[in-house]
Amino acid sequence: MHFTRIAVLLVALGFVHCSGSEALAQNQTDSLSPLIPLGVPFRLRIEQVEWDGDPLPTIHSAAHGLVGDRVLFVGGKTSGLHNFDCDPDENFPAKDFNRSLMVIDLATRETFSRPLSDADSVLSPAQIAALSSINTLTKEFDGQLISVGGYGIDENGDYVTFAGLRVIDIAGAIDWVLGDPAPLSDHIRFHQSPKGAPSDFFTICGGILIKNGDEYWSCLGHDFQGGYTECGPIGTTQVYTKSIRRFSLDTDLPDSPPIFIGETADPPPWARRRDLNVLPATVPEGLGAVALGGVFTLDDGVWTAPIVVDPEGGMTMRDPAARGTLRQGFNVYDSARLSFWSESRGENWFIAFGGLGYQVLWEGQLIENSSIPYSNEVLAVRYVPESDRWSQHLIGASYPTSTDSAGNVYYHGTETFTLTTVDQQNHQIDLDALTEETTIAYLYGGIIAGGQGVRNFPDTFASNQLFRVVFEPGAGCPADFDESGEVDISDLASLLETWGEVLDGIPQDLNRDRFVNSADLGALISAWGLCSE
């Protein structure tokens, strides 16, 4: 069925709900694009890993890198979302910042940690403070962990966004955690802004660091100085970068300084974004990036129209009101994410695993809520660079359902780490090369919420949950419940017989939200006919 016919069908069935509320006007756009059920040329499955080894550490918003089967975590936070009080020391308590290096061995199921304050680290108080920060811009490449900026408490006890770049030899740092007597300082290089760059070039938090060819790009984010408080901006400053800041490094010579390449000359107002998903992408001019969603507009809403970044770091955004512009409200916050490219299809697929959104599935209905609730569902965004066509899809995958002792469902994905286990040519997964069921990534940690937050703000915690992401090629035929080879009247009858709230995993619950309703009916009708078609 053609895309536009599916979109019309979904609106008619009430799958897409636009409230027209006053809160909606705070967002970048006052309408959102249809969410298409299924319609993706692959399937993803999230499975919880049964861990029978050492206790896993709770952590989110850390710099992290994977070498072999071992994961290194640097900095980050060991508690949930920050508080919203008047006292900065209550909102970001010093005890919640991770001041150790943590290591998880996925093969032996062992965990290790060692304090940065250990005398054998041979690090200064200022260096320890910078390494203990949160929301750094981080990228692992070729055994090196590149970490920019970050928010935390400096050696003088002040809340700051740190200025600087750290280059960490992951294997060497892991060896130090495991007891190597060589100083940790042998494995870390600290750099300031490169020659020719502004002094605040590396003073960023809440952005995303990606690699494009030989360049590193610090994408968007902000510089927040001072303690966070809900009682007015007393003694604080906040400056959004609205910029792509480009530099290069010779990782074979870690002592060599970073080289300044450039930054956005005239930062546009619509790039005032942080805490978002930025992914490597194939764009019309070659290899670039796409920025999805993000917060906050000047009216405390969410950004809905994506930004395309060309190979030279230039940013463009389609007119948000124009027909065909993607207007995203689902999974708009920094989450676990993956980027695919299919040469045969000429399209990118960007995956956001849960997190937060203005638009969420709640009790089987797609709703809009200005409190930006939590989501367990997986969103797929399709971008065809040649024709500049976009669509967004709910692909029927979500985090496995689990609850606390009171029956509150846990929600995952926010600030969660993505540990990719397959090769990424040009920093994207080659969709055409995946021809059989494959574990393509692990998702670890992040912020876990004990409730969705639609009506009441839930308790949040730092997670220590580990999930695997399993890729299955082909869209399959999930609406063919009786496996007859076609979706027909018998499948429709089967769906109607299970209408209402259902247990997790019921086949008729096509979008995996634990409700069989109009959303699943729309998906079945859109798949009507022979599965081969």
Side-chain angles (χ1 to χ4, degrees):
M1 185 177 290
H2 192 271
F3 163 75
T4 54
R5 291 178 61 196
I6 295 175
V8 170
L9 174 65
L10 295 177
V11 172
L13 290 172
F15 187 79
V16 177
H17 167 67
C18 293
S19 66
S21 66
E22 181 180 352
L24 189 60
Q26 297 177 352
N27 297 335
Q28 183 184 15
T29 59
D30 59 5
S31 65
L32 301 172
S33 298
L35 272 164
I36 302 170
L38 309 178
V40 177
F42 55 86
R43 287 164 286 173
L44 296 176
R45 189 172 72 248
I46 305 177
E47 300 174 343
Q48 185 158 12
V49 175
E50 296 298 329
W51 186 266
D52 55 3
D54 293 344
L56 288 166
T58 59
I59 190 73
H60 70 83
S61 306
H64 63 285
L66 174 68
V67 171
D69 293 316
R70 288 173 171 171
V71 191
L72 173 71
F73 295 99
V74 182
K77 199 162 177 275
T78 58
S79 62
L81 189 66
H82 62 77
N83 296 322
F84 296 88
D85 297 325
C86 292
D87 185 354
D89 293 329
E90 292 295 326
N91 294 329
F92 283 92
K95 64 180 179 59
D96 291 347
F97 288 87
N98 171 38
R99 300 182 184 277
S100 297
L101 295 190
M102 298 177 175
V103 174
I104 299 175
D105 192 314
L106 298 173
T108 66
R109 304 295 176 100
E110 295 176 288
T111 62
F112 310 89
S113 68
R114 191 172 180 181
L116 291 167
S117 59
D118 189 302
D120 290 334
S121 74
V122 194
L123 295 171
S124 71
Q127 292 171 334
I128 291 172
L131 289 168
S132 304
S133 61
I134 65 172
N135 292 109
T136 56
L137 286 67
T138 177
K139 177 66 180 176
E140 179 267 316
F141 180 73
D142 199 23
Q144 303 284 341
L145 179 58
I146 315 302
S147 180
V148 172
Y151 182 74
I153 303 173
D154 69 10
E155 70 277 16
N156 300 314
D158 296 324
Y159 289 91
V160 300
T161 294
F162 288 92
L165 166 75
R166 283 83 67 187
V167 180
I168 304 171
D169 172 47
I170 299 175
I174 289 175
D175 286 344
W176 180 82
V177 174
L178 271 59
D180 190 326
L184 177 60
S185 58
D186 286 355
H187 306 297
I188 305 177
R189 295 296 178 265
F190 295 84
H191 300 286
Q192 297 304 309
S193 293
K195 182 179 179 180
S199 60
D200 64 351
F201 189 76
F202 289 140
T203 312
I204 320 173
C205 63
I208 301 294
L209 184 67
I210 68 170
K211 196 168 192 300
N212 189 32
D214 294 329
E215 300 181 5
Y216 289 91
W217 292 1
S218 298
C219 302
L220 309 177
H222 64 148
D223 172 1
F224 190 90
Q225 299 292 341
Y228 177 80
T229 173
E230 284 290 295
C231 300
I234 302 173
T236 64
T237 61
Q238 182 182 33
V239 179
Y240 283 78
T241 73
K242 298 181 286 188
S243 179
I244 307 297
R245 298 178 174 178
R246 301 159 57 207
F247 64 96
S248 64
L249 283 168
D250 187 344
T251 53
D252 292 330
L253 298 172
D255 287 326
S256 61
I259 299 172
F260 173 63
I261 297 174
E263 65 174 330
T264 305
D266 187 16
W270 39 260
R272 184 189 186 274
R273 309 187 189 198
R274 61 176 172 88
D275 299 317
L276 73 169
N277 289 318
V278 182
L279 303 102
T282 300
V283 300
E285 302 87 351
L287 300 176
V290 163
L292 297 174
V295 295
F296 285 105
T297 66
L298 289 172
D299 296 315
D300 292 328
V302 303
W303 295 96
T304 58
I307 297 172
V308 175
V309 188
D310 68 31
E312 301 301 318
M315 292 185 286
T316 57
M317 182 190 71
R318 290 180 60 171
D319 178 358
R323 183 178 181 181
T325 298
L326 178 70
R327 293 180 286 272
Q328 175 193 351
F330 206 96
N331 290 6
V332 298
Y333 201 84
D334 182 0
S335 68
R337 55 189 171 268
L338 289 171
S339 177
F340 294 89
W341 167 251
S342 170
E343 185 68 29
S344 65
R345 302 173 67 93
E347 59 191 25
N348 299 273
W349 284 94
F350 309 122
I351 310 298
F353 295 90
L356 292 156
Y358 177 81
Q359 197 176 41
V360 295
L361 281 174
W362 180 66
E363 296 184 353
Q365 297 295 318
L366 188 65
I367 67 165
E368 294 161 359
N369 189 294
S370 59
S371 64
I372 313 180
Y374 292 87
S375 166
N376 269 335
E377 281 70 37
V378 178
L379 176 74
V381 173
R382 172 178 173 263
Y383 168 47
V384 184
E386 183 176 355
S387 58
D388 196 22
R389 292 175 58 194
W390 298 78
S391 58
Q392 57 177 357
H393 304 252
L394 285 180
I395 63 175
S398 66
Y399 286 91
T401 301
S402 59
T403 63
D404 63 17
S405 58
N408 297 308
V409 174
Y410 285 126
Y411 286 83
H412 306 270
T414 306
E415 305 279 3
T416 294
F417 309 110
T418 310
L419 309 172
T420 308
T421 57
V422 293
D423 291 336
Q424 298 183 79
Q425 184 178 8
N426 298 322
H427 310 289
Q428 290 186 280
I429 297 174
D430 183 353
L431 187 59
D432 299 330
L434 294 173
T435 59
E436 59 185 15
E437 184 173 301
T438 306
T439 296
I440 58 173
Y442 288 95
L443 311 180
Y444 180 74
I447 295 174
I448 186 171
Q452 194 163 12
V454 171
R455 290 178 173 165
N456 300 299
F457 195 80
D459 292 331
T460 62
F461 317 90
S463 174
N464 65 351
Q465 302 295 297
L466 178 65
F467 302 91
R468 69 171 59 88
V469 179
V470 181
F471 175 96
E472 299 177 66
C477 200
D480 179 21
F481 305 128
D482 60 4
E483 299 183 349
S484 66
E486 64 178 322
V487 178
D488 55 19
I489 192 68
S490 64
D491 301 301
L492 175 60
S494 176
L495 184 142
L496 295 176
E497 288 172 0
T498 56
W499 197 268
E501 188 170 1
V502 295
L503 296 175
D504 200 29
I506 295 296
Q508 291 79 4
D509 179 19
L510 292 169
N511 64 1
R512 302 294 188 265
D513 65 353
R514 293 179 291 120
F515 287 85
V516 175
N517 56 17
S518 59
D520 306 294
L521 177 60
L524 183 143
I525 293 174
S526 68
W528 196 269
L530 292 175
C531 292
S532 59
E533 296 179 347

